[in-house]
Each structure stands twice: as C-alpha cells, then as structure tokens.
Amino acid sequence: MDTREAAFLRQFETKEVEGSPSPFMNWLKPLILKVEEGSLVFQYTVRPEMTNPFGTLHGGVMAAMIDDAMGATLIVYGEKVFHVTVNLSVDYFASARAGDVIIAETRVVKKGRQIVNIHADVWNEDKTRLLAKGYSNLIKTDIK
Amino acid sequence: MDTREAAFLRQFETKEVEGSPSPFMNWLKPLILKVEEGSLVFQYTVRPEMTNPFGTLHGGVMAAMIDDAMGATLIVYGEKVFHVTVNLSVDYFASARAGDVIIAETRVVKKGRQIVNIHADVWNEDKTRLLAKGYSNLIKTDIK
Amino acid sequence: MDTREAAFLRQFETKEVEGSPSPFMNWLKPLILKVEEGSLVFQYTVRPEMTNPFGTLHGGVMAAMIDDAMGATLIVYGEKVFHVTVNLSVDYFASARAGDVIIAETRVVKKGRQIVNIHADVWNEDKTRLLAKGYSNLIKTDIK
Amino acid sequence: MDTREAAFLRQFETKEVEGSPSPFMNWLKPLILKVEEGSLVFQYTVRPEMTNPFGTLHGGVMAAMIDDAMGATLIVYGEKVFHVTVNLSVDYFASARAGDVIIAETRVVKKGRQIVNIHADVWNEDKTRLLAKGYSNLIKTDIK
C-alpha cells in the first residue's frame, strides 16, 4: 500500500487525529490503530458530550463514527475520485459509557466499478463485546 | 397531547435546546419548531465542526440528527418506558453547507406493542430540497 | 405520461399480469390497479404457496413483491437504461393470510442522475392496515 | 446440537427440501448443505420462474431466499418461541442465471434476550463470487 493518502493516514497511526481536513473527524478524535487497503481500525474515547440522557454513547454518534471511519477507508485507495454515501444502515447491540474506549473496524466488502460496499464493526476496548454493525453503499462521483 | 414530557419539550418550541439532559442533543442544538404526538419538527444550523473535508454537512452528523430527533419523538408519548434503537437506516440525497439551516421532520409510522417504527425527512430550510430520509425500529425496554 | 412502456403497462390496468417478460412477475401475478409516472399500485392475492408454516404470507415473498413493484415503476419512465438494485430494506408490521388480497403502492422519492430512491407501502385490501414498508436505491447502468 | 428441530433439519442434509411445513420454502427448494447452531448453508438451483426479464435471478427472489434461510436458522435453536422479522436489508453485488447453483450461508451475529441479529451471504456455486449480503433483526414473540 503506497498511495499518498495511505501514507498521510499512516503518519497518524497510534496517534489521535487532530489536524484532519475534516472538522467533524477532528471532533470524533479517532486514534488510528491500523491502516490497510480496504480496512481501517479506529479507536475512540467516549466523551461526555457524545452521550444520551442515560449516560451512554448516543446512537447517533455511533452511527457517525461508523460513517466517518468508512469514508476514511475509501480515501486510503488514493483514487482521484470522491465517494458519496448512498445509504447507511446500523444495527445496534450494546452501548458504552463516557470514558470507555471503543474500537471501529471497517472492511470493504465489494469494490465495484461504480458502487463500493463497506462494513464496520464497533467493539468495546478488548473486543469481547460487539456494540454495533454498520453497512453502507457509496458511489463514485466526478468531484475531484 | 398533555404528557409531562410533551409539556417539557413544548416549552422549547421556537427556542434552541440548551439544557437538555442529553449532552449530545445540546451539541446538535436543535431549535424545536413543532411538537406533536408522533411527530416533531427540529431545525438545525450547520456549524463548521459538523462538516466534512468538502465543507458540507458530514453524513454521520446527518444520521445523528435523524437518530436524535427520532428518540425525542418517542419521549413525547410520556410513557414510563425507555426505547432502544434496534436499527437505523439513512438514504442520502443531497447535503448542506456550513451556515445553512436545515429541517428534520419525524413521524411515527407504526407503534406496536414492542416495536416502534419511525421515519424522518431532512430538508433544506424552505423545504424545496429533500436531503435525506431515515427509517428506524426501536424496542421498548424495562429500563425506567 | 406517454412512454411506450407506460402504454404497455397501462393495457394491463385492472387485469392480472400474465405474459410479462418477467417470469417471476408472472408468478407473483399482480393485478395492476394504477400506472403513473413515478408510482404504481399493484394488487396481489396471497396464494398458499406464498405462505410460511404459520399460514401467513412469507416475509420473503413480501420483500419480493416490493422489489418487483419497484422495478416495474422504473420501467414506466421508458428510458433506454436498465436499473440495478443497489440495496433493498423492508420493515415489517403485520402479515396476511392465504386468500387475502393485499396492495403494494410504490413512489419514486428521488430520481437522481445515477441513483433512484423508491419507496413502497404494502397494505391490506381496504388499506386500513399497513403491512410493510420498503426502501430501495437503484443505479442506472449501460445495459440496454 | 441436539434439539428436535435441529434433528428434523439434519435429516435433510444433502437432500432437497420437499415436505417442509413452509409452502414457500418448498417452492424455493433448498438443498441443505449444513446445519449448525447459529448457522445454516442452503444451496439453490435458479429456476426459470425465479428470473427477471434479463434472464437473471430476480432480486426479490434473492431477498426471499435470504429471509427464508435466516428464519430456518432460528428454528434450529429449538426454542418454543416464534421469531417475527422486524426488518430485512439486502445489498446486491451480482446475480446468477437460470440453471446456476447458488449458496446461502447464514450466521447469527447477536442473540439477545428479545432481538436476534442474523446475516446471510449469497455466493455463486464455488464461492468465488459474492452475489449479495443480507442483514435482519427478528423479535421473539409469545406465539407457540
């Protein structure tokens, strides 16, 4: 894997993202654990502002983490195309509390000529508990 | 509609949510335009920190707005039960830019004994352009 | 609405489909109640071979009816392009029994340059009970 | 694995289902390749009546196969409860032609107290090509 984009993300491995060109990714503040072609592993710390009235990670933030990690996965290919999300589905199994560390792992399932299908699993820190699974289809656009 | 919860939300009509017990809802900072049994209308202003590298509203934040507005809709029923999201699906059609005002409208489609199905539409400010649609199933739990 | 395809489907209005070029549509045997640009109404009679061990309409057949009615809706535009389904989601609310008549109504939500988003509602005969809702994204292809 | 239901399904291993109490499963006519707790492998032969106007497997039938194989997977647990499908999502990657043999593999992802999440992959015969992926949530009911 040797795209410039992969190298860019690689420099963040085991560091928290801060100066990303994506303001919302900076808010999610992932720690990049692994960067591969077709797969990324991001780690997040659940902050109080990410929680719902029950003190657990807001389902909407979980969906946002999944969507963001998926988008970053496609950047690694380094293609001079932009992908737009057609649809995102999330199945929820469990949550996490403020202060908890959670892990998001993405995996490109099918990279077609126009559509890319990608999955993500969200785990608790030691990966003994699956918190959510996400599935998304993205389409290549002409935007550069 | 006369539940205590509805009255609670009603007091925010045409005001921005600030002191909600949901920290992430406070971050999304909706302005509540309408509160009805089975339907809410929330208005959001897209802030720079909600955007992606292209300067448009991050798809993950759009999903989070949809999820949050749906959850608030169920609170209005004022039942002494808590609903947990089973799944959330979002179809994306268009985006918005920082500074834009957008509208999320929810609607309970089916309120079953155990499962509630709810939809949300996200529009641009004057509702001439549909930005996204979301569909979710939530389940009643014993948590009080 | 005056495409050749619309006219083709129109001739079946209030008749059961039989000689369709789609063998599986012939198996589903819809009665076409309405053909409009962007919307179709199909009526089906639940046959015993469409049921599950509980004697009710098999959820898989319900999904198949939704997918088939959606595909037919796009044909009406009469464009010389073929649409391929990217994804299909179905939310289930209730079922029907063998002998019951049910109604599927489709509606194109967004017709983009590449992607078409379409919804379908499935009702009991007098439309007092919603049985299922389906949502699908299809992509234009070069196949003629 | 020793439930009566598992034993019932096991007797069909490497045989085509014929006298199932599910009329629509008999129509799909799966050959049961493997029965395990939490996972099934079904094989289907695409028949002409399962195809669309392009002579390929109708997407609706693919969804129906996925839904049916998922339901059968839950029967193997032998619990005296009935599961109802809350939602089904299918992502489509490729199709198959009449006469082709295809494989559906299911896997229970999460078996909660009320909700079961299950996935299915559909492959071509030698499993070199992924045709579709399905994801479903089912809920336990009191129906016996």
Side-chain angles (χ1 to χ4, degrees):
Chain A
M1 194 192 53
D2 50 350
T3 66
R4 202 169 41 165
E5 289 75 8
F8 175 79
L9 277 171
R10 277 256 163 122
Q11 66 171 317
F12 291 109
E13 271 190 355
T14 75
K15 287 182 210 145
E16 256 178 21
V17 169
E18 282 187 90
S20 155
S22 170
F24 184 64
M25 184 187 258
N26 290 330
W27 186 84
L28 289 176
K29 223 186 272 282
L31 177 72
I32 301 180
L33 296 189
K34 208 163 74 173
V35 177
E36 288 181 359
E37 188 170 296
S39 176
L40 284 183
V41 185
F42 275 16
Q43 178 182 299
Y44 302 90
T45 301
V46 178
R47 300 195 306 275
E49 60 189 324
M50 294 173 170
T51 60
N52 59 29
F54 299 87
T56 60
L57 178 59
H58 192 293
V61 180
M62 185 107 81
M65 288 170 170
I66 287 172
D67 182 69
D68 189 60
M70 286 170 163
T73 308
L74 297 190
I75 290 169
V76 175
Y77 287 105
E79 297 169 325
K80 298 292 164 267
V81 292
F82 177 51
H83 290 86
V84 169
T85 305
V86 173
N87 76 300
L88 169 70
S89 288
V90 179
D91 290 329
Y92 294 91
F93 310 126
S95 193
R97 303 199 71 81
D100 284 357
V101 167
I102 63 175
I103 308 287
E105 284 195 26
T106 65
R107 180 172 64 90
V108 171
V109 168
K110 164 87 182 194
K111 199 164 174 303
R113 201 164 49 83
Q114 293 173 284
I115 298 282
V116 180
N117 182 268
I118 182 164
H119 284 211
D121 292 342
V122 184
W123 296 91
N124 67 344
E125 185 170 11
D126 62 7
K127 293 190 59 178
T128 53
R129 202 149 82 121
L130 186 61
L131 308 184
K133 281 181 100 74
Y135 332 105
S136 189
N137 292 292
L138 297 100
I139 187 167
K140 279 187 200 169
T141 68
D142 302 340
I143 304 168
K144 315 234 165 165
Chain B
M1 195 193 53
D2 51 351
T3 66
R4 202 167 44 164
E5 289 74 9
F8 175 80
L9 278 171
R10 276 255 164 123
Q11 66 172 314
F12 292 110
E13 273 191 355
T14 74
K15 290 183 206 142
E16 257 179 22
V17 168
E18 282 186 273
S20 156
S22 170
F24 184 63
M25 184 187 258
N26 289 330
W27 186 84
L28 289 176
K29 222 187 275 281
L31 176 73
I32 301 181
L33 295 189
K34 207 163 73 174
V35 177
E36 288 181 356
E37 188 171 294
S39 176
L40 284 183
V41 184
F42 276 15
Q43 178 182 300
Y44 302 89
T45 301
V46 179
R47 300 196 306 275
E49 59 190 324
M50 295 174 170
T51 60
N52 59 29
F54 298 88
T56 61
L57 177 60
H58 193 293
V61 179
M62 185 105 82
M65 288 169 170
I66 287 172
D67 182 68
D68 190 61
M70 286 171 164
T73 308
L74 297 189
I75 289 170
V76 175
Y77 287 106
E79 297 169 325
K80 296 295 165 265
V81 292
F82 178 52
H83 291 85
V84 169
T85 306
V86 173
N87 76 299
L88 170 69
S89 287
V90 179
D91 289 331
Y92 294 92
F93 309 126
S95 194
R97 304 199 71 83
D100 284 357
V101 167
I102 63 175
I103 309 285
E105 284 195 26
T106 65
R107 180 172 63 90
V108 171
V109 168
K110 164 87 182 194
K111 199 163 174 302
R113 202 165 48 83
Q114 295 173 283
I115 297 284
V116 179
N117 182 268
I118 182 164
H119 283 212
D121 291 343
V122 183
W123 296 91
N124 66 345
E125 185 170 11
D126 62 6
K127 294 190 57 178
T128 53
R129 202 150 81 122
L130 185 61
L131 308 184
K133 281 178 102 72
Y135 332 106
S136 188
N137 293 291
L138 298 99
I139 186 168
K140 280 187 199 170
T141 69
D142 302 341
I143 305 168
K144 313 229 166 168
Chain C
M1 194 193 52
D2 51 350
T3 66
R4 202 169 41 167
E5 289 75 8
F8 174 79
L9 278 171
R10 276 257 164 121
Q11 67 173 316
F12 291 109
E13 272 190 354
T14 74
K15 288 183 209 145
E16 257 178 22
V17 168
E18 282 186 273
S20 154
S22 171
F24 184 64
M25 185 187 257
N26 289 330
W27 187 84
L28 290 176
K29 222 186 274 280
L31 177 74
I32 301 180
L33 295 189
K34 208 163 75 176
V35 177
E36 288 180 358
E37 189 170 293
S39 176
L40 283 184
V41 184
F42 276 16
Q43 177 182 300
Y44 301 90
T45 300
V46 178
R47 300 196 307 273
E49 61 189 323
M50 294 174 171
T51 61
N52 60 29
F54 299 87
T56 59
L57 178 60
H58 193 292
V61 179
M62 186 106 81
M65 287 169 170
I66 287 172
D67 182 69
D68 189 60
M70 286 171 163
T73 308
L74 297 189
I75 290 170
V76 174
Y77 287 105
E79 296 169 325
K80 297 292 163 268
V81 291
F82 176 53
H83 290 86
V84 169
T85 305
V86 173
N87 76 299
L88 169 69
S89 288
V90 179
D91 289 330
Y92 294 92
F93 309 125
S95 193
R97 304 199 70 82
D100 284 356
V101 167
I102 63 175
I103 308 287
E105 284 195 26
T106 65
R107 179 172 64 92
V108 171
V109 168
K110 165 86 181 194
K111 198 163 175 301
R113 202 164 49 83
Q114 292 173 285
I115 298 283
V116 180
N117 182 268
I118 181 165
H119 283 211
D121 292 342
V122 183
W123 297 90
N124 67 345
E125 185 169 11
D126 61 7
K127 293 190 56 180
T128 53
R129 202 150 82 121
L130 185 61
L131 308 184
K133 282 180 100 74
Y135 332 106
S136 188
N137 292 291
L138 297 100
I139 187 168
K140 281 187 199 170
T141 69
D142 302 341
I143 305 167
K144 315 235 166 164
Chain D
M1 194 193 53
D2 51 350
T3 66
R4 201 166 45 163
E5 289 75 8
F8 175 79
L9 278 171
R10 275 257 163 119
Q11 66 172 316
F12 292 110
E13 272 190 356
T14 74
K15 291 183 207 144
E16 257 179 20
V17 169
E18 282 186 273
S20 155
S22 171
F24 184 63
M25 185 187 258
N26 289 330
W27 186 83
L28 289 176
K29 223 188 273 281
L31 177 73
I32 301 181
L33 295 189
K34 207 163 73 173
V35 177
E36 287 181 358
E37 189 170 295
S39 176
L40 284 183
V41 185
F42 277 14
Q43 178 182 300
Y44 301 89
T45 301
V46 178
R47 301 195 306 275
E49 60 189 324
M50 294 174 171
T51 61
N52 59 30
F54 299 87
T56 61
L57 178 59
H58 193 292
V61 179
M62 185 105 82
M65 287 169 169
I66 286 172
D67 181 69
D68 189 60
M70 286 172 164
T73 308
L74 296 189
I75 290 170
V76 174
Y77 287 105
E79 297 168 325
K80 295 295 163 267
V81 292
F82 178 52
H83 290 85
V84 169
T85 305
V86 173
N87 77 298
L88 169 70
S89 288
V90 179
D91 289 331
Y92 294 92
F93 309 126
S95 194
R97 304 200 69 83
D100 284 356
V101 167
I102 64 176
I103 309 286
E105 283 196 26
T106 65
R107 179 172 64 90
V108 171
V109 168
K110 164 86 180 194
K111 198 164 174 303
R113 202 164 49 82
Q114 294 173 283
I115 298 283
V116 180
N117 182 267
I118 182 164
H119 284 210
D121 292 342
V122 183
W123 296 91
N124 67 345
E125 185 169 12
D126 62 7
K127 293 190 56 178
T128 53
R129 202 151 81 121
L130 185 61
L131 308 184
K133 282 181 100 71
Y135 333 105
S136 188
N137 293 292
L138 298 99
I139 186 167
K140 280 188 200 170
T141 69
D142 303 340
I143 305 168
K144 312 231 166 166

